[in-house]
Amino acid sequence: MLLGRTANGLYWMNRYIERAENMARLVDAGLRMALTRTQNASEEWNSVLLSAGSDVAFTQKYQDYTAANVSDFLLRDTSNPSSTMSAIETARNNARMVRTALTRETWESINEAWMSLKRMLAKPIDERDLPTVLDAIKRETALIRGSFYGTMLRNEIFDFSQLGTYVERADNTARILDVKYYVLLPSISWVGSTLDNYQWESILRSVSAHRSYRWVYDADYKPTNIADYLILNVRMPRSLTFCYRFLAEHLKFLGDDYGERHACHATAEKTQAMLRAGSIKDIFDAGLHEFLANFIRDNTRLGDEIAQDYRFY
Amino acid sequence: MAAFDEMLPEVSGLRRPYSAYDRWLKEQDPARLTEKMQDAERVFRKTGITFAVYGEQEASERLIPFDIVPRIISGNEWRRLTQGIEQRVQALNAFLDDIYHRQEILRAGRVPRELVAKNEAFLPEMIGVRPPAGVYTHIIGVDIVRISENEFYVLEDNARTPSGVSYMLENRETMMQLFPELFQQIKVRPVENYPQLLRQSLAAVRPQSTKGAPTIAVLTPGSYNSAYFEHAFLADQMGVQLVEGQDLRVVDGHVAMRTTEGYKQIDVLYRRVDDSFLDPLTFRPDSALGVPGIMDVYRAGNITIANAPGTGIADDKAIYSYMPEIVEFYTGRKAILGNIPTWRCSEPDSLKYVLEHINELVIKEVHGSGGYGMLVGPAATKKECQDFAKKLAAKPSNYIAQPTLALSTCPILTEKGLSPRHVDLRPYVLVSDRIQIVPGGLTRVALKEGSLVVNSSQGGGTKDTWVLDD
Amino acid sequence: MRLKITHRTEYRYDAPVQYLLQRLRLLPVSGHTQTVQSWGLNIDGAREEVRFTDHFGNDTRLLSVEGEPHAITIEASGDVLTRDTTGVSGPHHGFAPLWLFAQETPLTAAGEGIRELAGSAGKGTDIERLHRLMGTIGERVAYKPGATTVMTPAEEALALKTGVCQDHSHIFAAAARAMGFPARYVSGYLMMDAAVEQAASHAWAEAHVQGLGWVAFDAANGISPDERYVRVATGRDYRDASPISGILLGQADEKLAVTVTVEQ
C-alpha cells in the first residue's frame, strides 16, 4: 500500500533528479559549442536556454547570453525552479517527504548529493572550474541512480519513481530535438557543412550520445540517423522509444498489481504503439516539428493522468 | 555546590557501573577516540538526523551534538527508577480519566479547580471520552534528574507528544557501529526493540470495533517540522504509513488515508500534531495540518488517537507541582519519585519569595517547552533578572520557579580529555493494557561547562544511555 | 402540548463540492421539559459518517459530501410532547462540570457593555435579578435580522443594540456569567402564536440557579420558555450548540434556504 502523496513525491523526486542532471548536460553541450564556435556563441546559449525551457525567465534577469550568465542561471540560480540547485533541492525535499519509502542508501545518496552540490554551487562558478562542476553534478546523480537501482525493491515505489524519471527524460529529449529540429530537416541541411556537423554533435552531446552514436551508426553525422537515434532507437537510454518502453512497462506492473487499468495506460500504450510503428521517414514526411509538438503534449497529458489516476492529490 | 558525578564522584572514586567501561577507555588511544567522534558526526549528517531550530534565518537543519561517552545506569538503579515511573504514569492516566469525567480530585479540593478551569490544555471536547483500555497518554517521556547517589527527581512529565526517542535509538546504533567490541565486553540491555514495542502497544489500544489486524499510521505536521526526522524514522521502523493531514479524510465513518488505490481505513493514529491543529472542524479552523471531523470519529469510537487529545492538562507545569498529591490520590501511596520543590508564582507568598531570590532560581513559563521563555537565575545577568522579574510580576500565574539543583554530571570527551557536564534523563514509557519502559532513554547533556540547560534547542547534546544487565 | 415540527435545510452549490463535512445537532432528547415521541432525519445528497453524543450530551451526526450533487437537503421532523415547567429545565447532569458554563467564550466575552448590563440587574433574589436582566436585554437590543452574524460576539451585538435570538442569548449568557451564574446557550424551536411557519430555528439561554437547577430565559421574547418551546441542543454558546456547522473545501459557492414549521 502506498499513499497517493508518497507516489507523487517519488514521481517528482525522480523528475527533479533527472532534471538536475539534464541541466548539466545542456550546459555541457553549450559550453562545447561556445568553445569551438566562438562567433555564434550567444545563439548557441540561447538555444540551450530554449531546450531547458528557461529562455523567458532568463531574459527577465539577464541581457547577455554568455557562458557565465547561462551556466549561473541553469546551474545555481535558486530563483530558477529548474536550475540544478533548485532541482536537487526539490528532489531532496520530496525525498524527505517520502523518506520511509526509500532505502537508507537511496536517501543518503540524495542527501549527500544535495550537501555536496550546495557547497559546490554556493558561489558563482569560475569558468575554468565549469567542467569539473558539470562532472560532479553528473557523478552525484549517477550515484543516486546507482543506489536506487542497486537497493530498491521492485515494487510500486520503484514503478512510480521510474514513471517520473522517464516522463521527464522523454520531455527533455523531445525539447532538445524541437529546439534544433530545423538543422535536422533534409531540405535545408547542407550535407558535410561544418556548421551542421557542430549543430548535430551538439544535439548528441546534450543527451550524452555523441560517442554511442558512432557505435551504432558507425559513420558521419546524418540528420535522419540522429533523429532516428533519439526518437526511435530502442536501446538508446534517452530516446523517446526507450522512455516509452519503460513507461508502458511500469504502468503495466502497476495495472497488474492493483488489478485496475486507467486512462494513463491507454495514453502510454498509444504513444508506444505510434513510436513502434513509425519510421523516421514517416516522421519527417509528416513534419518533425509537428511530431515533436504532439509528443510533448501527449507526454504532459500522460503525467497529468498518472497524477489523477493514482490519486497524487 | 559540587555536583555529583555519575562516573567519578570526588568522594568515593570510580562508581561501579562505570568500572568495565573505564577499563576499556584506559586502553584506548585518545587519537582514535577523537577520530571516532568525527565519524559519529559524519554518520549523523549523512543520514540526515537533523532538527530545525525555530527562529533562525537560514532554513536551519542542525545536528544535535552527540558525545561518545555513554551514561551508565546499573540494573538496580534502573529497577528503582522504573517502579517510580510506572506509579507516576498510572497516576497520570487516572488523573486524565478523572478530569474528563467526574473530576473527583477537584471536588476533593486536592488540586485547585482554577488550574484546570483556566488551562488551555483542558479540552472540553474530551469530556466523557473513555478511550480503549482507559489509556489517555500512551507514550510518555518522563524527564528525570539526579542529585546524588540516591536522589532522583522528576523534572517534567511529557504526556502530549514527547520527542527524542529516535535519538535514543540512533545513539545506540551509532555506538554499536563505532565500538562493537564494547558491547561484547559489557552487557547492555537492548533498546532497539522500541519500535516493535510501540507498534504492539498501539495495536493493543485499537478501537473495540476493529476487525482483524489494526491499521496504524503516524501523523506528522510535515517535512518542515523540527521533529520530522523522528516521525519518519518511527513510521519506518514500525512499518506503518507516515501520513499528513492532507492524506486523511473521514470516509465511511472512519478516518482513512488516500492511497494510490483509494481510501484505506486507519484504526490507530499515532499523532505528532498538537491538539489545537488536530481538527479544524473542532479546534483551530485555520489548521491545515489536521483532519476535519476526526474528533467526531473519535467520539464515535472508530479510531484511537495516541496520545489522546487533551493530555496536556496532565503535564502542564502548574499541574506538575501537584503531582505528589495526584499520585497519592489515585494510587493510595506516596510518590516513589519525588518532584523538585516548586514555587507556584500564582501564590502571593511564593511570588514574593521568587522575586526576592530570582538570581538563585530557575523560572519557567507554565505552558512553555523546550527551554524557551525560561530564566536560569544564577547564569543570568542582573539586567536579565530585572527584565524577567517585570514579566513575572505582570503575570505571576504564568510562571513557576524551582531551585537550581546541582544536576548530576557525566563526563564528555573534549579535546582535553574527559570533562564533567550536567545531564538529565528521559526514559520512554509505553502504556497500553500494560506499562513498558525501554531500559535506557535519552540522556541530554549540557555541552557548555557548568551550564544546566540541556535542551537541544539551547545547545544541549545527547549521549547513549546504558542500563546494565546485571 | 404536542408539537409537530419540520425543520428543512437546503444547501445549493454552483459547482461540484470538492469535500464538505456538516455536523448536525438536530436531534432533541427527552428530559424534564419534553418527551420526544418520534423524530427522524431525512438526508438527501450527503452521507452520514458517524453519530455520537457530544461533550454536552447532544445527539450529533457528521455528514459528508464529495463531488456531485450540487444540492443537499437535511430534514429533521417529528413529534415532541412538551410540559410547562415555568422555565425550570431541571438539575444539571452530565460530565461537563458547572464551572465550565461559568466561563466566558470568545462569543460571550464580557467587555464594558456586558459588565455594565450585568451590574444593572440590581438586587434581589437570583430569579428576580435574572428576570430583570432578561427584561433589560429585550429593551436595549431590538430584534432585527441582518445586522449581526453567527460570529458576532455578545459585546458587539449589545453595542449595536440590534440582533437576533442568538445575539440575545449570547448577551444573556455573557451577562449571567459576569453576575456569577453558570449559563448556557440552547438551540431549539418555538411555536409562535401567529404562524405555523417560522423564520428559523430558535435560541435562548439558561442560567443555573442554586436550588432550582437550570432556568431558561428567552430574552428575544422576554419570557421564560414554556410548553411552546422544544429544546434540541445546548452548549456554552452558538458554536457548541448550532444546529448545523460545517467545513467546505473547494471553490463552490453555497446558498442556504431554511424552513421551519412548528404546529400543534
Side-chain angles (χ1 to χ4, degrees), chain C residues 20 22 43-48 63-66 69 71-74:
Chain C
L20 166 72
Q22 299 276 31
I43 291 155
D44 193 34
R47 246 194 332 252
E48 180 181 308
L63 308 185
S64 76
V65 182
E66 209 182 330
I72 320 166
T73 349
I74 298 160

Side-chain angles (χ1 to χ4, degrees), chain C residues 64-248:
Chain C
S64 76
V65 182
E66 209 182 330
E68 305 281 344
H70 295 201
I72 320 166
T73 349
I74 298 160
E75 192 180 278
S77 61
D79 297 342
V80 180
L81 198 63
T82 60
R83 285 176 285 275
D84 186 356
T85 58
T86 59
V88 176
S89 47
H92 181 65
H93 57 84
F95 288 120
L98 268 179
W99 58 254
L100 187 60
F101 297 97
Q103 294 185 325
E104 57 183 36
T105 63
L107 285 175
T108 59
E112 235 169 84
I114 294 287
R115 275 195 292 272
E116 187 275 322
L117 177 68
S120 76
K123 293 194 166 58
T125 64
D126 290 347
I127 289 294
E128 284 164 2
R129 295 171 68 215
L130 289 165
H131 272 284
R132 218 171 291 134
L133 171 66
M134 172 172 73
T136 314
I137 295 171
E139 284 162 25
R140 292 199 196 166
V141 184
Y143 181 88
K144 188 182 160 205
T148 57
T149 72
V150 294
M151 305 300 286
T152 308
E155 184 72 30
E156 195 182 320
L158 181 63
L160 284 170
K161 295 189 165 67
T162 54
V164 293
C165 60
Q166 76 230 2
D167 301 303
H168 290 98
S169 309
H170 280 151
I171 295 168
F172 184 92
R177 284 170 190 162
M179 289 159 68
F181 295 97
R184 66 186 181 186
Y185 181 101
V186 185
S187 70
Y189 305 108
L190 162 63
M191 187 184 70
M192 303 271 268
D193 297 329
V196 169
E197 188 150 326
Q198 316 290 328
S201 56
H202 194 49
W204 57 96
E206 290 183 337
H208 192 269
V209 178
Q210 209 72 46
L212 283 175
W214 290 106
V215 183
F217 298 89
D218 179 359
N221 292 305
I223 52 167
S224 266
D226 53 25
E227 57 186 350
R228 293 168 301 157
Y229 287 73
V230 171
R231 49 196 295 120
V232 178
T234 60
R236 291 162 300 176
D237 60 18
Y238 173 83
R239 237 196 123 185
D240 285 341
S242 61
I244 304 181
S245 53
I247 202 163
L248 171 67

Side-chain angles (χ1 to χ4, degrees), chain C residues 17-32:
Chain C
V17 172
Q18 194 189 333
Y19 185 59
L20 166 72
L21 286 179
Q22 299 276 31
R23 190 184 277 162
L24 313 183
R25 290 189 187 87
L26 287 170
L27 296 111
V29 285
S30 297
H32 195 67

Side-chain angles (χ1 to χ4, degrees), chain A residues 1-5 7 92-93 96-97 99-100 104 107-108 111-112 160 258 310-313, chain B residues 45-48 61 223-224 228-229 232 236 241-244 246-247 257-262 264:
Chain A
M1 191 196 51
L2 192 66
L3 290 177
R5 180 175 52 82
R92 179 181 180 264
N93 284 341
R96 245 170 89 81
M97 193 179 81
R99 192 170 159 156
T100 53
R104 191 166 178 142
W107 157 251
E108 285 179 7
N111 195 38
E112 285 187 78
F160 283 110
Y258 294 165
Y310 290 106
R311 300 168 181 86
F312 280 9
Y313 305 104
Chain B
R45 198 169 286 283
K46 190 171 74 169
T47 48
E61 280 178 30
S223 58
Y224 297 101
Y228 177 75
F229 160 75
D236 194 28
Q241 292 292 333
L242 177 68
V243 298
E244 294 180 16
Q246 51 169 308
D247 300 320
M257 53 186 158
R258 195 183 68 251
T259 79
T260 50
E261 294 171 273
K264 187 170 181 336

Side-chain angles (χ1 to χ4, degrees), chain B residues 50-52 54 163 167 220 222 224-232 272:
Chain B
T50 57
F51 71 105
Y54 292 115
S163 61
Y167 294 100
T220 174
Y224 297 101
N225 183 268
S226 62
Y228 177 75
F229 160 75
E230 175 157 304
H231 308 158
R272 297 292 295 260

Side-chain angles (χ1 to χ4, degrees), chain B residues 45-302:
Chain B
R45 198 169 286 283
K46 190 171 74 169
T47 48
I49 306 178
T50 57
F51 71 105
V53 182
Y54 292 115
E56 279 189 18
Q57 271 282 306
E58 177 65 8
S60 45
E61 280 178 30
R62 277 195 353 209
L63 289 184
I64 297 186
F66 172 71
D67 175 67
I68 59 170
V69 181
R71 198 259 189 95
I72 308 177
I73 298 168
S74 76
N76 250 331
E77 289 172 329
W78 182 249
R79 271 185 290 280
R80 274 176 34 222
L81 274 180
T82 51
Q83 281 170 0
I85 295 169
E86 276 183 29
Q87 181 196 39
R88 202 161 170 111
V89 163
Q90 272 168 347
L92 287 170
N93 273 301
F95 174 72
L96 285 163
D97 189 76
D98 187 26
I99 283 302
Y100 290 118
H101 291 88
R102 291 263 315 150
Q103 305 192 326
E104 299 289 359
I105 199 165
L106 304 187
R107 289 169 201 249
R110 300 291 284 274
V111 169
R113 201 175 71 192
E114 293 69 47
L115 280 192
V116 175
K118 293 195 174 132
N119 204 315
E120 278 181 22
F122 172 76
L123 293 187
E125 290 79 3
M126 281 298 291
I127 292 169
V129 174
R130 181 159 290 138
V135 184
Y136 293 80
T137 175
H138 307 78
I139 298 124
I140 305 164
V142 184
D143 289 348
I144 293 174
V145 296
R146 182 172 205 173
I147 308 302
S148 70
E149 182 69 48
N150 288 310
E151 283 178 284
F152 293 90
Y153 292 107
V154 173
L155 191 65
E156 208 168 291
D157 301 287
N158 296 284
R160 303 173 204 213
T161 51
S163 61
V165 75
S166 57
Y167 294 100
M168 170 185 86
L169 295 165
E170 283 292 324
N171 288 354
R172 176 61 53 83
E173 183 66 31
T174 306
M175 282 297 276
M176 292 179 79
Q177 269 184 39
L178 296 179
F179 308 111
E181 75 277 12
L182 252 177
F183 290 85
Q184 282 164 357
Q185 292 169 24
I186 304 174
K187 285 275 163 275
V188 179
R189 293 184 61 191
V191 295
E192 342 21 323
N193 59 345
Y194 177 84
Q196 284 66 48
L197 293 180
L198 175 59
R199 191 189 167 130
Q200 287 161 10
S201 193
L202 292 170
V205 292
R206 65 187 176 273
Q208 276 180 339
S209 58
T210 304
K211 293 179 198 78
T215 302
I216 301 168
V218 177
L219 175 65
T220 174
S223 58
Y224 297 101
N225 183 268
S226 62
Y228 177 75
F229 160 75
E230 175 157 304
H231 308 158
F233 179 88
L234 287 174
D236 194 28
Q237 295 281 309
M238 285 196 285
V240 304
Q241 292 292 333
L242 177 68
V243 298
E244 294 180 16
Q246 51 169 308
D247 300 320
L248 305 182
R249 186 173 272 198
V250 176
V251 178
D252 296 335
H254 290 85
V255 171
M257 53 186 158
R258 195 183 68 251
T259 79
T260 50
E261 294 171 273
Y263 278 93
K264 187 170 181 336
Q265 176 182 327
I266 292 174
D267 304 304
V268 183
L269 191 63
Y270 175 24
R271 54 94 178 202
R272 297 292 295 260
V273 168
D274 291 345
D275 285 353
S276 54
F277 292 95
L278 199 53
D279 181 354
L281 186 60
T282 306
F283 306 118
R284 282 180 63 151
D286 59 338
S287 169
L289 306 175
V291 190
I294 188 173
M295 283 303 286
D296 301 52
V297 176
Y298 185 59
R299 284 200 77 103
N302 290 354

